[in-house]
Short mmCIF file of all heavy atoms in Angstrom, two decimals:
data_model
loop_
_atom_site.label_atom_id
_atom_site.label_comp_id
_atom_site.label_asym_id
_atom_site.label_seq_id
_atom_site.Cartn_x
_atom_site.Cartn_y
_atom_site.Cartn_z
N GLY A 1 94.81 130.10 111.29
CA GLY A 1 93.61 129.34 111.04
C GLY A 1 93.60 128.59 109.74
O GLY A 1 92.68 127.83 109.44
N MET A 2 94.60 128.77 108.91
CA MET A 2 94.65 128.08 107.60
C MET A 2 95.17 126.67 107.84
O MET A 2 95.78 126.34 108.79
CB MET A 2 95.62 128.85 106.65
CG MET A 2 95.20 130.26 106.35
SD MET A 2 93.88 130.39 105.21
CE MET A 2 94.69 130.07 103.68
N VAL A 3 94.93 125.81 106.84
CA VAL A 3 95.38 124.43 106.90
C VAL A 3 96.35 124.21 105.74
O VAL A 3 96.44 124.97 104.79
CB VAL A 3 94.22 123.43 106.82
CG1 VAL A 3 93.33 123.52 108.08
CG2 VAL A 3 93.40 123.63 105.56
N LEU A 4 97.09 123.07 105.81
CA LEU A 4 98.08 122.72 104.79
C LEU A 4 97.61 121.44 104.11
O LEU A 4 97.14 120.51 104.80
CB LEU A 4 99.44 122.52 105.39
CG LEU A 4 100.02 123.70 106.22
CD1 LEU A 4 101.26 123.26 106.90
CD2 LEU A 4 100.25 124.87 105.30
N ARG A 5 97.80 121.34 102.83
CA ARG A 5 97.50 120.10 102.10
C ARG A 5 98.77 119.26 102.02
O ARG A 5 99.84 119.76 101.61
CB ARG A 5 96.97 120.41 100.66
CG ARG A 5 96.69 119.13 99.91
CD ARG A 5 96.14 119.41 98.56
NE ARG A 5 95.92 118.13 97.86
CZ ARG A 5 95.71 118.03 96.58
NH1 ARG A 5 95.69 119.12 95.83
NH2 ARG A 5 95.52 116.83 96.06
N LEU A 6 98.66 117.99 102.40
CA LEU A 6 99.82 117.07 102.38
C LEU A 6 100.00 116.52 100.96
O LEU A 6 99.03 116.12 100.30
CB LEU A 6 99.62 115.93 103.36
CG LEU A 6 99.53 116.27 104.82
CD1 LEU A 6 99.30 114.99 105.65
CD2 LEU A 6 100.82 116.97 105.26
N ASN A 7 101.23 116.48 100.53
CA ASN A 7 101.59 115.77 99.25
C ASN A 7 102.06 114.38 99.51
O ASN A 7 101.94 113.50 98.70
CB ASN A 7 102.67 116.56 98.52
CG ASN A 7 102.18 117.91 98.02
OD1 ASN A 7 101.03 118.04 97.66
ND2 ASN A 7 103.05 118.92 98.10
N LYS A 8 102.63 114.17 100.72
CA LYS A 8 103.18 112.86 101.08
C LYS A 8 102.59 112.45 102.42
O LYS A 8 102.08 113.25 103.19
CB LYS A 8 104.74 112.94 101.25
CG LYS A 8 105.47 113.22 99.97
CD LYS A 8 105.64 111.94 99.25
CE LYS A 8 106.68 112.07 98.14
NZ LYS A 8 106.90 110.80 97.49
N ALA A 9 102.65 111.15 102.71
CA ALA A 9 102.16 110.63 103.97
C ALA A 9 103.03 111.06 105.13
O ALA A 9 104.21 111.33 104.98
CB ALA A 9 102.09 109.09 103.91
N LEU A 10 102.43 111.09 106.32
CA LEU A 10 103.10 111.40 107.58
C LEU A 10 102.88 110.26 108.55
O LEU A 10 101.82 109.60 108.47
CB LEU A 10 102.62 112.72 108.19
CG LEU A 10 102.88 114.01 107.49
CD1 LEU A 10 102.19 115.16 108.22
CD2 LEU A 10 104.39 114.24 107.41
N TYR A 11 103.76 110.08 109.48
CA TYR A 11 103.54 109.08 110.54
C TYR A 11 102.30 109.48 111.31
O TYR A 11 102.04 110.65 111.57
CB TYR A 11 104.74 109.03 111.50
CG TYR A 11 105.87 108.20 110.89
CD1 TYR A 11 106.92 108.81 110.26
CD2 TYR A 11 105.87 106.81 111.00
CE1 TYR A 11 107.98 108.08 109.71
CE2 TYR A 11 106.89 106.05 110.47
CZ TYR A 11 107.95 106.68 109.84
OH TYR A 11 108.94 105.94 109.29
N GLY A 12 101.51 108.48 111.70
CA GLY A 12 100.27 108.70 112.44
C GLY A 12 99.05 108.90 111.53
O GLY A 12 97.92 108.79 112.04
N LEU A 13 99.24 109.15 110.29
CA LEU A 13 98.14 109.28 109.35
C LEU A 13 97.65 107.88 109.02
O LEU A 13 98.40 106.99 108.68
CB LEU A 13 98.67 109.96 108.10
CG LEU A 13 97.66 110.49 107.06
CD1 LEU A 13 96.80 111.56 107.67
CD2 LEU A 13 98.38 111.01 105.84
N LYS A 14 96.31 107.67 109.10
CA LYS A 14 95.79 106.33 108.91
C LYS A 14 96.04 105.77 107.50
O LYS A 14 96.13 104.58 107.32
CB LYS A 14 94.30 106.24 109.27
CG LYS A 14 93.38 106.93 108.31
CD LYS A 14 91.92 106.73 108.73
CE LYS A 14 91.02 107.29 107.68
NZ LYS A 14 89.62 107.04 107.97
N GLN A 15 96.19 106.62 106.51
CA GLN A 15 96.47 106.19 105.16
C GLN A 15 97.95 105.85 104.91
O GLN A 15 98.28 105.27 103.89
CB GLN A 15 96.07 107.28 104.14
CG GLN A 15 94.63 107.65 104.10
CD GLN A 15 94.35 108.84 105.01
OE1 GLN A 15 94.96 109.03 106.06
NE2 GLN A 15 93.35 109.62 104.64
N ALA A 16 98.81 106.28 105.84
CA ALA A 16 100.28 106.16 105.65
C ALA A 16 100.75 104.77 105.35
O ALA A 16 101.52 104.56 104.39
CB ALA A 16 101.01 106.81 106.78
N PRO A 17 100.42 103.75 106.17
CA PRO A 17 100.93 102.40 105.87
C PRO A 17 100.50 101.87 104.51
O PRO A 17 101.26 101.27 103.78
CB PRO A 17 100.35 101.53 107.00
CG PRO A 17 100.08 102.52 108.08
CD PRO A 17 99.69 103.76 107.43
N ARG A 18 99.24 102.14 104.14
CA ARG A 18 98.75 101.68 102.83
C ARG A 18 99.45 102.41 101.71
O ARG A 18 99.80 101.81 100.68
CB ARG A 18 97.22 101.93 102.76
CG ARG A 18 96.61 101.40 101.48
CD ARG A 18 95.10 101.49 101.46
NE ARG A 18 94.47 102.12 102.60
CZ ARG A 18 93.93 103.34 102.56
NH1 ARG A 18 93.93 104.04 101.49
NH2 ARG A 18 93.37 103.82 103.66
N ALA A 19 99.69 103.71 101.86
CA ALA A 19 100.41 104.49 100.86
C ALA A 19 101.86 103.99 100.67
O ALA A 19 102.32 103.88 99.56
CB ALA A 19 100.39 105.95 101.21
N TRP A 20 102.53 103.67 101.81
CA TRP A 20 103.87 103.14 101.75
C TRP A 20 103.89 101.76 101.02
O TRP A 20 104.69 101.51 100.16
CB TRP A 20 104.50 103.05 103.11
CG TRP A 20 105.63 102.02 103.17
CD1 TRP A 20 105.68 100.87 103.90
CD2 TRP A 20 106.85 102.01 102.40
NE1 TRP A 20 106.80 100.18 103.63
CE2 TRP A 20 107.56 100.88 102.72
CE3 TRP A 20 107.40 102.92 101.45
CZ2 TRP A 20 108.79 100.61 102.14
CZ3 TRP A 20 108.59 102.62 100.89
CH2 TRP A 20 109.30 101.46 101.25
N ASN A 21 102.96 100.90 101.39
CA ASN A 21 102.93 99.58 100.78
C ASN A 21 102.64 99.67 99.29
O ASN A 21 103.28 98.96 98.49
CB ASN A 21 101.85 98.69 101.45
CG ASN A 21 101.91 97.29 100.95
OD1 ASN A 21 101.21 96.94 100.00
ND2 ASN A 21 102.75 96.47 101.57
N ALA A 22 101.77 100.56 98.88
CA ALA A 22 101.48 100.76 97.43
C ALA A 22 102.73 101.26 96.69
O ALA A 22 103.01 100.82 95.58
CB ALA A 22 100.35 101.72 97.28
N LYS A 23 103.47 102.16 97.35
CA LYS A 23 104.68 102.68 96.69
C LYS A 23 105.76 101.60 96.52
O LYS A 23 106.34 101.45 95.50
CB LYS A 23 105.24 103.83 97.51
CG LYS A 23 106.55 104.42 97.12
CD LYS A 23 106.36 105.29 95.90
CE LYS A 23 107.65 106.09 95.63
NZ LYS A 23 107.45 107.10 94.60
N LEU A 24 105.98 100.79 97.60
CA LEU A 24 106.92 99.71 97.53
C LEU A 24 106.49 98.66 96.50
O LEU A 24 107.33 98.23 95.67
CB LEU A 24 107.08 99.02 98.87
CG LEU A 24 108.07 97.88 98.93
CD1 LEU A 24 109.48 98.36 98.59
CD2 LEU A 24 108.07 97.27 100.32
N ASP A 25 105.21 98.34 96.46
CA ASP A 25 104.68 97.37 95.48
C ASP A 25 104.95 97.87 94.07
O ASP A 25 105.43 97.15 93.22
CB ASP A 25 103.21 97.18 95.70
CG ASP A 25 102.59 96.22 94.71
OD1 ASP A 25 102.83 95.01 94.79
OD2 ASP A 25 101.85 96.68 93.79
N LEU A 26 104.64 99.15 93.79
CA LEU A 26 104.89 99.75 92.48
C LEU A 26 106.35 99.66 92.08
O LEU A 26 106.66 99.24 90.94
CB LEU A 26 104.39 101.22 92.47
CG LEU A 26 104.66 102.03 91.23
CD1 LEU A 26 103.75 101.53 90.11
CD2 LEU A 26 104.49 103.50 91.49
N GLU A 27 107.25 100.02 92.97
CA GLU A 27 108.67 100.02 92.64
C GLU A 27 109.23 98.61 92.44
O GLU A 27 110.04 98.39 91.55
CB GLU A 27 109.48 100.78 93.70
CG GLU A 27 109.15 102.25 93.81
CD GLU A 27 109.38 103.04 92.54
OE1 GLU A 27 110.13 102.57 91.65
OE2 GLU A 27 108.82 104.14 92.42
N LEU A 28 108.78 97.67 93.24
CA LEU A 28 109.24 96.27 93.06
C LEU A 28 108.74 95.72 91.71
O LEU A 28 109.49 95.04 91.01
CB LEU A 28 108.79 95.38 94.21
CG LEU A 28 109.52 95.60 95.53
CD1 LEU A 28 108.89 94.75 96.62
CD2 LEU A 28 111.02 95.25 95.41
N CYS A 29 107.50 96.04 91.36
CA CYS A 29 106.98 95.61 90.05
C CYS A 29 107.76 96.27 88.92
O CYS A 29 108.04 95.59 87.88
CB CYS A 29 105.50 95.91 89.98
SG CYS A 29 104.49 94.87 91.03
N ARG A 30 108.11 97.51 89.09
CA ARG A 30 108.95 98.22 88.05
C ARG A 30 110.31 97.55 87.86
O ARG A 30 110.91 97.57 86.80
CB ARG A 30 109.12 99.66 88.37
CG ARG A 30 107.94 100.51 88.11
CD ARG A 30 108.22 101.97 88.35
NE ARG A 30 107.06 102.81 88.13
CZ ARG A 30 106.88 104.01 88.57
NH1 ARG A 30 107.85 104.59 89.29
NH2 ARG A 30 105.80 104.72 88.32
N LEU A 31 110.80 96.95 88.95
CA LEU A 31 112.13 96.27 88.89
C LEU A 31 111.99 94.82 88.42
O LEU A 31 112.96 94.13 88.39
CB LEU A 31 112.78 96.33 90.28
CG LEU A 31 113.23 97.69 90.76
CD1 LEU A 31 113.77 97.59 92.20
CD2 LEU A 31 114.33 98.27 89.87
N GLY A 32 110.79 94.46 88.00
CA GLY A 32 110.63 93.12 87.42
C GLY A 32 110.15 92.03 88.37
O GLY A 32 110.17 90.87 88.05
N PHE A 33 109.70 92.42 89.53
CA PHE A 33 109.25 91.47 90.53
C PHE A 33 107.73 91.26 90.36
O PHE A 33 107.02 92.13 89.91
CB PHE A 33 109.53 91.90 91.94
CG PHE A 33 110.96 91.74 92.33
CD1 PHE A 33 111.88 92.71 91.98
CD2 PHE A 33 111.40 90.66 93.02
CE1 PHE A 33 113.24 92.61 92.30
CE2 PHE A 33 112.71 90.50 93.36
CZ PHE A 33 113.65 91.48 92.96
N LYS A 34 107.27 90.07 90.73
CA LYS A 34 105.88 89.76 90.68
C LYS A 34 105.44 89.34 92.08
O LYS A 34 106.11 88.53 92.75
CB LYS A 34 105.59 88.61 89.69
CG LYS A 34 104.15 88.28 89.50
CD LYS A 34 103.93 87.20 88.50
CE LYS A 34 102.44 86.83 88.42
NZ LYS A 34 102.22 85.69 87.61
N LYS A 35 104.29 89.89 92.53
CA LYS A 35 103.78 89.55 93.89
C LYS A 35 103.23 88.14 93.87
O LYS A 35 102.55 87.72 92.93
CB LYS A 35 102.69 90.52 94.26
CG LYS A 35 102.21 90.34 95.70
CD LYS A 35 101.01 91.20 96.05
CE LYS A 35 101.38 92.69 96.12
NZ LYS A 35 100.30 93.51 96.66
N SER A 36 103.52 87.38 94.91
CA SER A 36 103.02 86.03 95.05
C SER A 36 101.51 86.09 95.22
O SER A 36 100.96 86.91 95.92
CB SER A 36 103.61 85.36 96.30
OG SER A 36 102.96 84.19 96.58
N GLU A 37 100.77 85.18 94.56
CA GLU A 37 99.37 85.11 94.68
C GLU A 37 98.95 84.49 96.02
O GLU A 37 97.88 84.78 96.54
CB GLU A 37 98.77 84.31 93.53
CG GLU A 37 98.90 85.01 92.19
CD GLU A 37 98.32 84.20 91.04
OE1 GLU A 37 97.48 83.31 91.28
OE2 GLU A 37 98.66 84.54 89.90
N GLU A 38 99.82 83.68 96.59
CA GLU A 38 99.51 82.99 97.86
C GLU A 38 99.85 83.85 99.04
O GLU A 38 99.19 83.81 100.09
CB GLU A 38 100.25 81.67 97.96
CG GLU A 38 99.75 80.60 96.99
CD GLU A 38 100.36 80.78 95.60
OE1 GLU A 38 101.42 81.43 95.45
OE2 GLU A 38 99.73 80.35 94.62
N GLU A 39 100.93 84.62 98.96
CA GLU A 39 101.44 85.40 100.06
C GLU A 39 101.80 86.77 99.58
O GLU A 39 102.79 86.99 98.89
CB GLU A 39 102.66 84.73 100.73
CG GLU A 39 103.29 85.50 101.86
CD GLU A 39 102.30 85.84 102.95
OE1 GLU A 39 101.74 84.92 103.58
OE2 GLU A 39 102.08 87.01 103.21
N HIS A 40 100.95 87.78 99.89
CA HIS A 40 101.11 89.12 99.33
C HIS A 40 102.33 89.90 99.86
O HIS A 40 102.57 91.01 99.37
CB HIS A 40 99.83 89.89 99.49
CG HIS A 40 98.66 89.31 98.70
ND1 HIS A 40 98.59 89.40 97.36
CD2 HIS A 40 97.61 88.62 99.13
CE1 HIS A 40 97.50 88.80 96.97
NE2 HIS A 40 96.90 88.25 97.99
N ALA A 41 103.02 89.34 100.81
CA ALA A 41 104.21 90.03 101.29
C ALA A 41 105.49 89.45 100.70
O ALA A 41 106.59 89.72 101.13
CB ALA A 41 104.27 89.93 102.84
N VAL A 42 105.33 88.60 99.68
CA VAL A 42 106.49 87.94 99.00
C VAL A 42 106.46 88.27 97.53
O VAL A 42 105.43 88.17 96.89
CB VAL A 42 106.44 86.41 99.23
CG1 VAL A 42 107.55 85.75 98.46
CG2 VAL A 42 106.55 86.09 100.71
N TYR A 43 107.62 88.66 97.03
CA TYR A 43 107.80 89.01 95.62
C TYR A 43 108.92 88.12 95.04
O TYR A 43 109.83 87.72 95.76
CB TYR A 43 108.22 90.45 95.44
CG TYR A 43 107.17 91.45 95.86
CD1 TYR A 43 106.94 91.73 97.22
CD2 TYR A 43 106.38 92.08 94.90
CE1 TYR A 43 105.96 92.64 97.58
CE2 TYR A 43 105.42 92.96 95.28
CZ TYR A 43 105.20 93.26 96.59
OH TYR A 43 104.22 94.13 96.96
N ARG A 44 108.81 87.80 93.73
CA ARG A 44 109.78 86.98 93.09
C ARG A 44 110.11 87.54 91.70
O ARG A 44 109.23 87.99 90.96
CB ARG A 44 109.24 85.57 92.90
CG ARG A 44 110.27 84.66 92.25
CD ARG A 44 109.66 83.25 91.96
NE ARG A 44 110.53 82.53 91.10
CZ ARG A 44 111.18 81.44 91.43
NH1 ARG A 44 111.06 80.93 92.61
NH2 ARG A 44 111.95 80.82 90.58
#
């Protein structure tokens, strides 16, 4: 009857895609990329 607390996202979790996108955004910015203001799926 006990539950488990998640530390990482799982497939099927509604927060998972947003959490993945935030992680990728963070890492690309750390590598010196800047997100396009016109198209948020493009980095330069």
